[in-house]
Amino acid sequence: MAFPKTTLIGLKADGFRHPLDLEATQSLKQLPGLDLIVRQLLGSIGEQFFYLDNIASSVLVSEQQLPELHQLLKEACQVLDLETPELYVRQHPMPNAYTFAMRGKKPFVVIHTSLIELLTPAEIQAVIGHELGHLKCEHGVYLTLANLIMLAAGQLSTVGALIAQTLQSQILQWVRCAEFSCDRAALLATQDSRVVSSVLMKLAGGSPTLAPQLNLDAFLAQARAYDESSSTELGLLLREAQTGQLTHPLPVLRAREIDRWASSKDYETLLQKGKMCYSSETEKKGEWRNW
């Protein structure tokens, strides 16, 4: 990699979790009918259809299969102090990545080929770090629920479909808040805010042809301009209308958030703690931690 990263031994999710994520998760847990829909979706549909479909239609990354991607995954897991999940590459024209964490099953991450083609290795690692953030924050059940509701609503029973429709707006709200925490995990994994912001810029308006021509500083200025123009009462209402049915916050808002957090005392403190933990480990054991 371009420079050595601080390994965050003992990193806890609450050390980087976004306040909006914490608030939205607490609200989601109080929704009536959530347990029923979780049991329906994370039962036969989740295990028999989506997991098997992924196994059948994707390529499992390993030391023998796409080893460079496997190394990016291993390093991100080491930095975030997390067990290594399975990583799959799936042929798909829409740039995307997602995480599934079934009950009793090993979690797995999927990255679409079109996203890999769009990004540099460092940016791919930021995407991996983002998905690992979902696992670190234990978003698994609710995140899988959100994915399945969007992908499999037609396969639910009548009762399940009605509950899913009722819960959709609340779940989408939670997902958008959770994404801010995972962008922070992406920053911790790469330890370069420009890499994370570059991913967001390319997702907003990039392509393999256009990506080399994009200007990150101009995109960050655009993010600040959007923040300023939407700070009025009318602007806030329009922002809500723009994002209400989205699964992710707007890329410019995510770039602004990560740019701010990268300059914060909280982020600097996490890196300093990581350096102190690494020093104490090396003095005591004289070697790398056995991952």
Side-chain angles (χ1 to χ4, degrees), residues 44-63:
S44 59
I45 292 177
E47 293 182 5
Q48 295 179 19
F49 180 77
F50 287 99
Y51 187 75
L52 292 178
D53 178 65
N54 180 68
I55 291 289
S57 306
S58 307
V59 172
L60 175 61
V61 174
S62 68
E63 292 180 353

Side-chain angles (χ1 to χ4, degrees), residues 1-247:
M1 304 308 294
F3 60 91
K5 299 183 178 68
T6 298
T7 303
L8 305 172
I9 297 174
L11 176 68
K12 303 298 182 185
D14 286 346
F16 65 90
R17 192 189 301 271
H18 196 284
L20 290 177
D21 176 15
L22 181 61
E23 180 182 345
T25 300
Q26 291 173 343
S27 298
L28 194 61
K29 289 179 179 179
Q30 299 172 6
L31 290 176
L34 188 62
D35 288 343
L36 174 60
I37 200 72
V38 166
R39 284 197 298 271
Q40 280 204 352
L41 284 172
L42 302 189
S44 59
I45 292 177
E47 293 182 5
Q48 295 179 19
F49 180 77
F50 287 99
Y51 187 75
L52 292 178
D53 178 65
N54 180 68
I55 291 289
S57 306
S58 307
V59 172
L60 175 61
V61 174
S62 68
E63 292 180 353
Q64 293 75 40
Q65 185 74 272
L66 302 173
E68 293 182 1
L69 288 179
H70 187 257
Q71 182 58 36
L72 293 175
L73 171 67
K74 281 181 57 180
E75 184 186 78
C77 288
Q78 289 175 351
V79 171
L80 296 175
D81 198 5
L82 190 68
E83 290 187 24
T84 306
E86 293 180 343
L87 174 63
Y88 292 87
V89 173
R90 187 174 185 124
Q91 179 72 34
H92 202 286
M94 178 176 291
N96 194 22
Y98 50 90
T99 300
F100 273 97
M102 315 275 184
R103 287 175 172 173
K105 300 287 185 179
K106 186 173 184 178
F108 63 93
V109 175
V110 179
I111 302 181
H112 288 172
T113 51
S114 54
L115 184 59
I116 292 173
E117 292 170 356
L118 182 62
L119 304 178
T120 67
E123 292 165 352
I124 293 170
Q125 188 171 64
V127 170
I128 292 172
H130 176 99
E131 297 304 323
L132 294 177
H134 285 304
L135 299 177
K136 191 73 178 183
C137 292
E138 298 182 342
H139 289 154
V141 171
Y142 297 130
L143 180 65
T144 300
L145 172 62
N147 286 332
L148 292 178
I149 281 180
M150 288 180 283
L151 295 174
Q155 301 183 44
L156 296 175
S157 67
T158 302
V159 174
L162 287 173
I163 295 174
Q165 185 176 5
T166 302
L167 294 177
Q168 183 170 331
S169 62
Q170 291 95 329
I171 290 172
L172 289 177
Q173 171 68 17
W174 172 81
V175 171
R176 290 193 297 272
C177 294
E179 291 299 306
F180 286 127
S181 293
C182 296
D183 285 344
R184 291 180 174 187
L187 174 57
L188 293 173
T190 60
Q191 295 175 19
D192 186 340
S193 64
R194 292 182 66 84
V195 168
V196 181
S197 295
S198 182
V199 173
L200 298 170
M201 174 181 65
K202 290 180 179 180
L203 288 174
S207 70
T209 302
L210 293 177
Q213 306 173 45
L214 293 175
N215 184 320
L216 180 57
D217 291 319
F219 181 71
L220 292 174
Q222 176 185 334
R224 289 188 287 271
Y226 178 84
D227 196 34
E228 292 170 1
S229 63
S230 62
S231 61
T232 64
E233 184 175 347
L234 177 58
L236 291 173
L237 289 174
L238 292 174
R239 182 191 296 189
E240 281 297 314
Q242 282 182 306
T243 61
Q245 295 301 311
L246 298 179
T247 58

